[in-house]
Amino acid sequence: MSESALVGIGSEKPAASNGTRTAGFPQALILLLASCLGVLGAVLLTPVLPKMEDAFAGTAGAGILVPVVVTVPGLMIGLLSLVAGSVVDRVGRKRLLVWALAAYAVVGTAPLWLDSLPLIVVSRALVGVCEAAIMTCCTTLIADYFDGARRDKYLGLQVVFTNVASIVFFGLGGALGDSGWRTPFWLYAMSLLLVVLAAVFIWQPRAANDRPAVLAPVPWRTLRMPSVVTLIGGMVFYTPIVELSYVLDDIGVESTATIGQVSAGTGVATAIGGFLFGRVSRSGPRTLLPIGFTLAGVGLVVMALGSGIAMVTVGAVVACGGTGLLLPTMLTWAINSLDYAERGRGTGLWTAAFNIGNFFCPLAVLGLSALLGGLSGAIVAVGVVSLATAGTVRALLGRPGTRPAPALTAEPND
């Protein structure tokens, strides 16, 4: 992101004043940086997996357990985000965020001294538990602190920050991995800095009324359609990320450097889509969801059917630009209708739906490949599903009203 863009964001009038404290760019920046921790598990360790397999060659089941080191955090996020949302609404956003950031540093760096591969897998599962809490807290707090166009802008910037972070972390993982497979795990200690920043600069917002002893029920019926669409969107979002390298390999691209460059380009495209969301968010989900799904669907079909690197790259970039726009659109669609007391659980449900879609994406593509005779047919099928979803959402989605967000106050002694 350019320096001028950051200056422009930081110089905005602050939002979500509560009489004693006002949320602004410092709070948003801390929450955006903390949101980046969720991608560490997915990309940081990928370059060192071969070295891990060599190190644990004598361990039974290492061929299965080593890849699980990368995938299990995402599975835990999908399974536990709704639970994290309930905790957020019950005990408060800040308290859970600070404790989760501190625990993240402990369990994230645990493989530095663990010699048992099964125990390392357990520590990675605990990383996923922490990530579920961190991601739910960060998104919920952004929605608490800001509203309207500023909320949309910062939720769009979540996509920008996390995608730029994924590119940076992938490079750092490869560079640090040259000195040993354990070295990249030191990066998990960076959350300790965020513990301090969150403790000092983040406060617990609260609705104008005191939090009730019994939580009000979440309007699950209202969230049903956004959750189903997000589940599909999660699968579409992850398809170009997971399958691009295989498509390039199928057309004869063997250079890992070239594959890395193309993958980095798609990451930039996703970030651009997220950045543009802040500019066009006023169009609403009825317009932006069909656009995002259509771009993703067209891009996936082009990527799957491309016979050369240029066409495959163009398709992947178009698909990722669409998913970059799609991600914050789905999120704001789900949470903008929620009151303060419901927002943690609603955000947790959305996070769970998106990550479960991510988790099942490779399995769905594998099944479709067997059914349709190859990877290209499977990716085309996912593209067709994306296009069908665009048309269905356009037909079914009216112009939903949103309930006004309640006033916020600072919670004392937090």
Side-chain angles (χ1 to χ4, degrees), residues 208-252:
N209 300 325
D210 289 338
R211 247 191 339 259
V214 178
L215 291 176
V218 173
W220 302 115
R221 183 172 299 180
T222 302
L223 292 172
R224 181 169 54 195
M225 186 176 177
S227 298
V228 171
V229 172
T230 296
L231 185 66
I232 298 171
M235 296 179 66
V236 172
F237 182 91
Y238 215 51
T239 298
I241 296 173
V242 173
E243 306 300 337
L244 176 59
S245 60
Y246 295 104
V247 173
L248 291 171
D249 182 70
D250 285 347
I251 64 171

Side-chain angles (χ1 to χ4, degrees), residues 139-162:
T139 303
T140 304
L141 281 166
I142 290 173
D144 288 339
Y145 283 162
F146 307 96
D147 55 20
R150 289 190 182 92
R151 176 189 289 177
D152 292 343
K153 175 176 288 188
Y154 287 125
L155 290 175
L157 283 174
Q158 260 193 319
V159 179
V160 177
F161 271 65
T162 54

Side-chain angles (χ1 to χ4, degrees), residues 225 283-290 333 391-402:
M225 186 176 177
S283 299
R286 188 171 186 267
T287 298
L288 297 181
L289 285 173
W333 179 33
T392 302
V393 169
R394 180 67 180 178
L396 295 180
L397 188 61
R399 297 184 179 276
T402 57

Side-chain angles (χ1 to χ4, degrees), residues 37 40 44 104 109 112 168-169 172-173 176 183-191:
L37 298 179
L40 267 178
L44 178 66
Y104 181 89
T109 57
L112 291 170
V168 172
F169 290 150
L172 283 174
L176 294 173
T183 308
F185 287 97
W186 281 110
L187 286 180
Y188 284 90
M190 72 173 67
S191 67

Side-chain angles (χ1 to χ4, degrees), residues 25-304:
F25 182 64
Q27 286 71 36
L29 182 59
I30 292 168
L31 296 173
L32 291 171
L33 291 174
S35 298
C36 295
L37 298 179
V39 304
L40 267 178
V43 300
L44 178 66
L45 304 179
T46 302
V48 300
L49 290 183
K51 289 188 175 182
M52 284 192 69
E53 289 190 4
D54 292 341
F56 292 101
T59 301
I64 297 174
L65 292 176
V66 169
V68 168
V69 165
V70 172
T71 59
V72 73
L75 176 61
M76 300 306 293
I77 293 172
L79 293 176
L80 295 178
S81 290
L82 183 54
V83 176
S86 297
V87 177
V88 164
D89 282 339
R90 288 185 181 278
V91 308
R93 283 79 153 129
K94 176 181 177 178
R95 186 175 294 112
L96 180 60
L97 176 61
V98 171
W99 279 104
L101 287 170
Y104 181 89
V106 175
V107 297
T109 57
L112 291 170
W113 55 82
L114 290 174
D115 293 323
S116 165
L117 182 56
L119 287 179
I120 290 176
V121 172
V122 171
S123 75
R124 300 296 295 162
L126 294 175
V127 166
V129 174
C130 295
E131 288 178 346
I134 291 168
M135 293 171 66
T136 302
C137 287
C138 288
T139 303
T140 304
L141 281 166
I142 290 173
D144 288 339
Y145 283 162
F146 307 96
D147 55 20
R150 289 190 182 92
R151 176 189 289 177
D152 292 343
K153 175 176 288 188
Y154 287 125
L155 290 175
L157 283 174
Q158 260 193 319
V159 179
V160 177
F161 271 65
T162 54
N163 276 275
V164 172
S166 69
I167 297 171
V168 172
F169 290 150
F170 188 88
L172 283 174
L176 294 173
D178 286 339
S179 61
W181 67 267
R182 294 185 191 268
T183 308
F185 287 97
W186 281 110
L187 286 180
Y188 284 90
M190 72 173 67
S191 67
L192 293 176
L193 174 60
L194 290 169
V195 170
V196 177
L197 293 175
V200 174
F201 293 102
I202 299 297
W203 64 87
Q204 171 64 33
R206 189 175 61 185
N209 300 325
D210 289 338
R211 247 191 339 259
V214 178
L215 291 176
V218 173
W220 302 115
R221 183 172 299 180
T222 302
L223 292 172
R224 181 169 54 195
M225 186 176 177
S227 298
V228 171
V229 172
T230 296
L231 185 66
I232 298 171
M235 296 179 66
V236 172
F237 182 91
Y238 215 51
T239 298
I241 296 173
V242 173
E243 306 300 337
L244 176 59
S245 60
Y246 295 104
V247 173
L248 291 171
D249 182 70
D250 285 347
I251 64 171
V253 178
E254 298 180 354
S255 169
T256 56
T258 301
I259 293 173
Q261 289 169 1
V262 175
S263 298
T266 60
V268 172
T270 306
I272 290 173
F275 182 76
L276 290 177
F277 171 77
R279 306 294 182 90
V280 299
S281 60
R282 291 182 182 276
S283 299
R286 188 171 186 267
T287 298
L288 297 181
L289 285 173
I291 291 175
F293 275 113
T294 298
L295 288 173
V298 170
L300 286 172
V301 171
V302 172
M303 184 182 99

